[in-house]
Coordinates of all heavy atoms in Angstrom, one line a residue:
Chain C
A21 N -69.1 87.7 112.6 CA -68.9 87.5 111.2 C -69.6 86.2 110.7 O -70.1 86.2 109.7 CB -67.4 87.4 110.9
A22 N -69.5 85.2 111.5 CA -70.1 83.8 111.1 C -71.6 83.7 111.3 O -72.2 82.9 110.6 CB -69.4 82.8 111.9
H23 N -72.1 84.5 112.2 CA -73.5 84.3 112.6 C -74.4 85.6 112.4 O -74.7 86.2 113.4 CB -73.6 83.8 114.0 CG -72.9 82.4 114.2 ND1 -73.3 81.3 113.5 CD2 -71.8 82.1 114.9 CE1 -72.4 80.3 113.9 NE2 -71.5 80.8 114.7
P24 N -74.8 85.9 111.2 CA -75.5 87.1 111.0 C -76.9 86.9 111.8 O -77.6 87.9 111.9 CB -75.7 87.1 109.5 CG -75.3 85.9 108.9 CD -74.3 85.2 110.0
E25 N -77.3 85.7 112.1 CA -78.5 85.5 112.8 C -78.5 85.9 114.3 O -79.5 85.9 115.0 CB -79.0 84.0 112.7 CG -78.3 83.0 113.5 CD -77.1 82.5 112.9 OE1 -76.5 83.2 112.0 OE2 -76.5 81.4 113.4
L26 N -77.3 86.3 114.7 CA -77.1 86.8 116.1 C -76.8 88.2 116.1 O -76.1 88.7 115.1 CB -76.0 85.9 116.8 CG -76.2 84.4 117.0 CD1 -75.1 83.8 117.6 CD2 -77.6 84.1 117.8
T27 N -77.1 88.9 117.2 CA -76.5 90.3 117.4 C -75.5 90.1 118.5 O -75.7 89.7 119.5 CB -77.6 91.2 117.9 OG1 -78.7 91.2 117.0 CG2 -77.0 92.6 118.1
V28 N -74.2 90.4 118.0 CA -73.1 90.3 118.8 C -72.5 91.7 119.1 O -72.0 92.4 118.3 CB -71.9 89.4 118.2 CG1 -70.7 89.3 119.1 CG2 -72.5 88.0 117.8
D29 N -72.7 92.0 120.3 CA -72.3 93.4 120.8 C -70.9 93.2 121.4 O -70.8 92.8 122.6 CB -73.3 94.0 121.7 CG -73.0 95.5 122.1 OD1 -71.8 95.7 122.1 OD2 -73.9 96.2 122.4
V30 N -69.9 93.5 120.6 CA -68.5 93.2 121.0 C -68.1 94.1 122.3 O -67.5 93.7 123.1 CB -67.5 93.4 119.9 CG1 -66.1 93.1 120.4 CG2 -67.9 92.4 118.8
D31 N -68.6 95.4 122.2 CA -68.3 96.3 123.3 C -68.9 95.9 124.6 O -68.2 95.9 125.6 CB -68.7 97.8 122.9 CG -67.8 98.3 121.8 OD1 -66.6 97.8 121.7 OD2 -68.3 99.1 121.0
R32 N -70.1 95.6 124.5 CA -70.9 95.3 125.8 C -70.8 93.8 126.1 O -71.2 93.4 127.1 CB -72.3 95.8 125.7 CG -72.5 97.3 125.6 CD -73.7 97.8 125.9 NE -74.8 97.1 125.1 CZ -76.1 97.2 125.3 NH1 -76.6 97.9 126.4 NH2 -77.0 96.7 124.4
R33 N -70.1 93.1 125.2 CA -69.9 91.6 125.4 C -71.1 90.8 125.7 O -71.4 90.2 126.7 CB -68.9 91.4 126.6 CG -67.6 92.2 126.3 CD -66.5 91.3 126.7 NE -65.2 92.1 126.4 CZ -64.1 92.0 126.8 NH1 -63.9 90.9 127.7 NH2 -63.0 92.6 126.5
I34 N -72.1 91.0 124.8 CA -73.3 90.2 124.9 C -73.7 89.6 123.5 O -73.4 90.3 122.5 CB -74.5 90.9 125.5 CG1 -74.8 92.2 124.7 CG2 -74.2 91.2 127.0 CD1 -76.1 92.9 125.3
V35 N -74.1 88.4 123.5 CA -74.6 87.8 122.3 C -76.1 87.6 122.4 O -76.6 87.0 123.4 CB -74.0 86.5 122.2 CG1 -74.4 85.6 120.9 CG2 -72.4 86.4 122.2
V36 N -76.8 88.2 121.5 CA -78.3 88.2 121.6 C -79.0 87.7 120.4 O -78.5 87.9 119.2 CB -78.7 89.7 121.9 CG1 -80.2 89.8 122.1 CG2 -77.9 90.3 123.1
R37 N -80.1 87.0 120.5 CA -80.9 86.6 119.4 C -81.3 87.9 118.6 O -81.7 88.9 119.1 CB -82.3 86.1 119.9 CG -82.4 84.6 119.9 CD -83.7 84.2 120.5 NE -84.7 84.3 119.4 CZ -85.8 83.5 119.5 NH1 -86.2 82.8 120.5 NH2 -86.7 83.6 118.5
R38 N -81.1 87.8 117.3 CA -81.3 89.0 116.4 C -82.7 89.4 116.5 O -82.9 90.6 116.5 CB -81.1 88.4 115.0 CG -81.6 89.4 113.9 CD -80.7 90.5 113.5 NE -79.4 90.1 113.0 CZ -78.3 91.0 113.1 NH1 -78.5 92.2 113.6 NH2 -77.2 90.7 112.6
D39 N -83.7 88.5 116.8 CA -85.1 89.0 116.9 C -85.6 89.3 118.3 O -86.8 89.4 118.5 CB -86.0 88.0 116.2 CG -85.9 86.5 116.9 OD1 -85.0 86.4 117.7 OD2 -86.6 85.6 116.5
A40 N -84.7 89.5 119.3 CA -85.1 89.7 120.6 C -85.5 91.3 120.8 O -85.0 92.0 120.0 CB -83.9 89.4 121.6
P41 N -86.4 91.5 121.7 CA -87.2 90.6 122.5 C -88.3 90.0 121.7 O -88.9 90.6 120.9 CB -87.7 91.5 123.6 CG -87.7 92.8 123.0 CD -86.7 93.0 122.0
V42 N -88.6 88.7 122.0 CA -89.6 87.9 121.4 C -90.9 88.2 122.2 O -91.0 87.7 123.3 CB -89.3 86.5 121.3 CG1 -90.4 85.7 120.5 CG2 -87.9 86.2 120.6
A43 N -91.9 88.8 121.5 CA -93.1 89.2 122.2 C -93.8 87.9 122.9 O -93.9 86.8 122.3 CB -94.1 89.8 121.3
G44 N -94.2 88.0 124.2 CA -95.0 87.0 124.8 C -94.1 85.9 125.3 O -94.6 84.9 125.8
K45 N -92.8 86.0 125.2 CA -91.9 84.9 125.6 C -91.1 85.2 126.7 O -90.5 86.3 126.8 CB -91.1 84.5 124.3 CG -90.3 83.1 124.6 CD -89.4 82.8 123.4 CE -88.0 83.2 123.7 NZ -87.3 82.7 124.8
V46 N -91.0 84.3 127.7 CA -90.0 84.5 128.7 C -88.6 84.4 128.1 O -88.4 83.6 127.1 CB -90.2 83.3 129.7 CG1 -89.0 83.2 130.7 CG2 -91.5 83.5 130.5
A47 N -87.7 85.2 128.6 CA -86.4 85.2 128.0 C -85.4 84.5 128.9 O -85.5 84.5 130.1 CB -85.9 86.6 127.8
L48 N -84.5 83.8 128.3 CA -83.4 83.0 129.0 C -82.0 83.7 128.8 O -81.7 84.0 127.6 CB -83.2 81.6 128.6 CG -84.1 80.6 129.2 CD1 -85.6 80.7 129.0 CD2 -83.6 79.1 128.9
V49 N -81.3 84.0 129.8 CA -80.0 84.6 129.8 C -79.0 83.7 130.6 O -79.3 83.3 131.7 CB -80.1 86.0 130.4 CG1 -78.6 86.6 130.5 CG2 -80.9 87.0 129.5
S50 N -77.9 83.4 130.0 CA -76.9 82.7 130.7 C -75.5 83.4 130.4 O -75.5 84.4 129.9 CB -76.9 81.2 130.4 OG -76.1 80.5 131.3
G51 N -74.5 82.8 131.0 CA -73.3 83.3 130.9 C -72.3 82.7 131.8 O -72.7 82.0 132.7
G52 N -71.0 83.0 131.7 CA -70.0 82.5 132.5 C -68.6 82.7 131.9 O -68.6 83.6 130.8
G53 N -67.6 82.3 132.5 CA -66.3 82.5 131.9 C -66.3 81.9 130.5 O -66.9 80.9 130.1
S54 N -65.4 82.6 129.7 CA -65.2 82.0 128.4 C -64.3 80.8 128.5 O -63.7 80.5 129.5 CB -64.6 83.0 127.5 OG -65.5 84.0 127.2
G55 N -64.2 80.0 127.3 CA -63.3 78.8 127.4 C -64.1 77.6 127.4 O -63.4 76.5 127.4
H56 N -65.4 77.7 127.5 CA -66.2 76.5 127.5 C -67.1 76.4 126.2 O -68.1 75.7 126.2 CB -67.1 76.5 128.7 CG -66.4 76.7 130.0 ND1 -65.5 75.9 130.5 CD2 -66.6 77.9 130.9 CE1 -65.0 76.5 131.6 NE2 -65.6 77.6 131.9
E57 N -66.7 77.1 125.2 CA -67.6 77.2 123.9 C -67.8 75.8 123.4 O -66.9 74.8 123.5 CB -66.7 78.0 122.9 CG -66.7 79.5 123.3 CD -65.9 79.7 124.5 OE1 -64.9 78.9 124.8 OE2 -66.1 80.7 125.2
P58 N -69.0 75.5 122.8 CA -70.0 76.5 122.5 C -70.8 77.1 123.6 O -71.4 78.1 123.5 CB -70.9 75.7 121.5 CG -70.8 74.3 121.9 CD -69.3 74.1 122.4
L59 N -70.8 76.5 124.7 CA -71.4 77.2 126.0 C -70.9 78.5 126.1 O -69.6 78.6 126.1 CB -71.1 76.3 127.2 CG -71.8 76.6 128.5 CD1 -73.3 76.0 128.4 CD2 -71.0 76.1 129.7
H60 N -71.6 79.6 126.3 CA -73.0 79.8 126.3 C -73.4 80.5 125.0 O -74.5 80.2 124.6 CB -73.4 80.6 127.4 CG -73.2 80.1 128.8 ND1 -74.1 79.2 129.4 CD2 -72.1 80.1 129.6 CE1 -73.6 78.9 130.7 NE2 -72.4 79.4 130.8
G61 N -72.5 81.2 124.4 CA -72.8 82.1 123.2 C -73.3 81.2 122.1 O -74.2 81.6 121.3
G62 N -72.7 80.0 122.0 CA -73.2 79.1 120.9 C -74.6 78.5 121.1 O -75.1 77.7 120.2
F63 N -75.2 78.7 122.2 CA -76.5 78.3 122.5 C -77.6 79.3 122.5 O -78.7 79.2 123.0 CB -76.6 77.5 123.9 CG -75.7 76.2 123.9 CD1 -75.1 75.9 125.1 CD2 -75.4 75.5 122.8 CE1 -74.3 74.8 125.1 CE2 -74.6 74.4 122.8 CZ -74.1 74.0 124.0
V64 N -77.3 80.5 121.8 CA -78.3 81.5 121.7 C -79.0 81.4 120.4 O -78.4 81.2 119.4 CB -77.5 82.9 121.7 CG1 -78.5 84.0 121.4 CG2 -76.8 83.1 123.1
G65 N -80.3 81.3 120.5 CA -81.1 81.3 119.3 C -82.4 80.6 119.7 O -82.7 80.2 120.8
P66 N -83.3 80.6 118.7 CA -84.7 80.1 118.9 C -84.7 78.7 119.6 O -84.0 77.8 119.1 CB -85.3 80.0 117.4 CG -84.5 81.1 116.8 CD -83.2 81.0 117.3
G67 N -85.4 78.6 120.6 CA -85.5 77.4 121.4 C -84.5 77.1 122.4 O -84.4 76.1 123.1
M68 N -83.7 78.1 122.6 CA -82.7 78.0 123.7 C -82.5 79.3 124.4 O -83.4 79.9 124.9 CB -81.3 77.3 123.2 CG -80.7 76.4 124.1 SD -79.5 75.2 123.2 CE -78.7 74.6 124.8
L69 N -81.3 79.9 124.4 CA -81.1 81.1 125.2 C -81.4 82.3 124.2 O -81.3 82.3 123.0 CB -79.5 81.3 125.4 CG -78.9 80.2 126.4 CD1 -77.4 80.6 126.7 CD2 -79.8 80.3 127.7
D70 N -81.8 83.3 124.9 CA -82.1 84.7 124.2 C -80.8 85.5 124.3 O -80.7 86.3 123.3 CB -83.2 85.4 124.9 CG -84.5 84.6 124.7 OD1 -84.8 83.7 125.4 OD2 -85.3 85.0 123.8
A71 N -80.0 85.3 125.2 CA -78.7 86.1 125.3 C -77.8 85.3 126.2 O -78.1 84.6 127.0 CB -78.9 87.5 125.8
A72 N -76.5 85.6 125.9 CA -75.4 85.0 126.7 C -74.4 86.1 126.9 O -74.2 87.0 126.2 CB -74.7 83.8 125.9
C73 N -73.7 86.0 128.1 CA -72.7 87.0 128.5 C -71.5 86.3 128.8 O -71.3 85.6 129.8 CB -73.2 87.6 129.9 SG -74.9 88.2 129.9
P74 N -70.5 86.4 127.8 CA -69.2 85.8 128.0 C -68.2 86.6 128.9 O -68.0 87.8 128.5 CB -68.7 85.6 126.6 CG -69.4 86.7 125.8 CD -70.6 87.1 126.5
G75 N -67.7 85.9 129.9 CA -66.6 86.7 130.7 C -65.3 86.4 130.1 O -65.1 85.9 129.0
E76 N -64.3 87.0 130.7 CA -62.9 86.6 130.3 C -62.8 85.2 130.5 O -63.6 84.4 131.1 CB -61.9 87.3 131.2 CG -61.8 88.9 130.9 CD -61.3 89.2 129.6 OE1 -60.3 88.4 129.2 OE2 -61.8 90.1 128.9
V77 N -61.7 84.6 130.0 CA -61.5 83.1 130.0 C -61.5 82.7 131.5 O -60.8 83.2 132.4 CB -60.1 82.8 129.5 CG1 -59.8 81.3 129.7 CG2 -60.1 83.1 127.9
F78 N -62.3 81.7 131.8 CA -62.6 81.1 133.1 C -62.9 82.2 134.2 O -62.7 82.0 135.4 CB -61.2 80.4 133.6 CG -61.1 79.1 132.8 CD1 -60.0 78.2 133.1 CD2 -61.9 78.7 131.8 CE1 -59.8 77.1 132.3 CE2 -61.8 77.5 131.0 CZ -60.7 76.7 131.3
T79 N -63.4 83.4 133.8 CA -63.8 84.3 134.7 C -65.3 84.7 134.5 O -65.6 85.0 133.4 CB -62.9 85.6 134.5 OG1 -61.5 85.2 134.7 CG2 -63.3 86.7 135.5
S80 N -66.0 84.7 135.6 CA -67.4 85.1 135.5 C -67.5 86.6 134.7 O -66.8 87.3 135.0 CB -68.0 85.3 136.9 OG -69.3 86.0 136.8
P81 N -68.6 86.7 134.0 CA -68.9 88.0 133.3 C -69.2 88.9 134.5 O -69.4 88.5 135.6 CB -70.1 87.7 132.4 CG -70.6 86.4 132.9 CD -69.6 85.6 133.6
V82 N -69.4 90.2 134.1 CA -69.8 91.2 135.2 C -71.3 91.6 135.0 O -71.9 91.3 134.1 CB -68.9 92.6 134.9 CG1 -67.3 92.3 135.0 CG2 -69.2 93.1 133.5
P83 N -71.8 92.1 136.1 CA -73.2 92.4 136.2 C -73.7 93.2 135.0 O -74.8 93.0 134.5 CB -73.4 93.0 137.5 CG -72.3 92.6 138.4 CD -71.2 92.4 137.4
D84 N -72.9 94.2 134.6 CA -73.3 95.1 133.5 C -73.7 94.3 132.3 O -74.6 94.6 131.6 CB -72.1 96.0 133.1 CG -71.5 96.7 134.2 OD1 -71.3 96.1 135.3 OD2 -71.3 98.0 134.2
Q85 N -72.9 93.2 132.0 CA -73.3 92.4 130.8 C -74.7 91.8 131.0 O -75.5 91.7 130.1 CB -72.3 91.3 130.7 CG -70.9 91.7 130.2 CD -69.9 90.7 130.2 OE1 -69.2 90.5 131.4 NE2 -69.8 89.9 129.2
M86 N -75.0 91.3 132.2 CA -76.2 90.6 132.4 C -77.3 91.5 132.4 O -78.4 91.1 132.0 CB -76.1 89.8 133.8 CG -75.0 88.8 133.8 SD -74.3 88.7 135.5 CE -72.8 87.7 135.2
V87 N -77.2 92.7 133.0 CA -78.2 93.7 133.0 C -78.6 94.1 131.6 O -79.7 94.3 131.1 CB -77.8 94.9 133.9 CG1 -78.8 96.0 133.8 CG2 -77.7 94.5 135.3
A88 N -77.4 94.4 130.7 CA -77.6 94.7 129.4 C -78.4 93.7 128.6 O -79.2 94.0 127.8 CB -76.3 95.1 128.7
A89 N -78.0 92.4 128.9 CA -78.6 91.3 128.2 C -80.1 91.2 128.6 O -80.9 91.0 127.7 CB -77.9 90.0 128.5
A90 N -80.4 91.3 129.9 CA -81.7 91.3 130.4 C -82.6 92.3 129.7 O -83.7 92.1 129.2 CB -81.9 91.3 131.8
A91 N -82.1 93.5 129.6 CA -82.8 94.6 129.1 C -83.1 94.4 127.5 O -84.1 94.7 127.0 CB -82.0 95.9 129.2
A92 N -82.1 93.8 126.9 CA -82.2 93.5 125.4 C -83.2 92.5 125.1 O -83.8 92.4 124.1 CB -80.8 93.1 124.9
V93 N -83.4 91.5 126.0 CA -84.3 90.3 125.7 C -85.6 90.4 126.4 O -86.5 89.6 126.0 CB -83.6 89.0 125.9 CG1 -82.3 88.9 125.1 CG2 -83.2 88.8 127.4
D94 N -85.8 91.2 127.4 CA -87.1 91.1 128.1 C -88.3 91.6 127.3 O -88.3 92.8 126.9 CB -86.9 91.9 129.5 CG -88.3 91.8 130.4 OD1 -89.0 90.7 130.2 OD2 -88.4 92.6 131.2
S95 N -89.2 90.8 127.1 CA -90.4 91.2 126.4 C -91.4 91.8 127.3 O -92.6 92.0 126.9 CB -90.9 90.0 125.6 OG -91.5 89.1 126.5
G96 N -91.2 91.7 128.6 CA -92.3 91.9 129.6 C -92.7 90.7 130.3 O -93.2 90.7 131.4
E97 N -92.3 89.5 129.8 CA -92.6 88.2 130.4 C -91.7 87.7 131.5 O -91.9 86.7 132.1 CB -92.8 87.2 129.3 CG -93.9 87.5 128.3 CD -95.4 87.5 129.0 OE1 -95.7 86.8 129.9 OE2 -96.1 88.5 128.5
G98 N -90.6 88.5 131.6 CA -89.6 88.1 132.6 C -88.5 87.3 132.0 O -88.5 87.0 130.8
V99 N -87.4 87.3 132.8 CA -86.1 86.7 132.4 C -85.7 85.7 133.4 O -85.9 85.9 134.6 CB -85.1 87.9 132.4 CG1 -83.7 87.3 132.0 CG2 -85.5 89.0 131.3

Side-chain angles (χ1 to χ4, degrees):
Chain C
H23 301 295
E25 74 277 19
L26 299 176
T27 302
V28 180
D29 187 329
V30 180
D31 290 333
R32 297 197 299 167
R33 304 223 179 159
I34 53 177
V35 179
V36 184
R37 261 179 82 156
R38 164 82 62 204
D39 57 353
V42 181
K45 193 184 91 63
V46 167
L48 268 71
V49 173
S50 191
S54 291
H56 308 300
E57 289 65 28
L59 187 83
H60 297 271
F63 296 150
V64 174
M68 216 160 164
L69 297 179
D70 293 81
C73 311
E76 288 294 320
V77 172
F78 289 180
T79 302
S80 161
V82 299
D84 306 49
Q85 291 169 268
M86 300 148 190
V87 171
V93 300
D94 183 25
S95 69
E97 298 298 321
V99 175

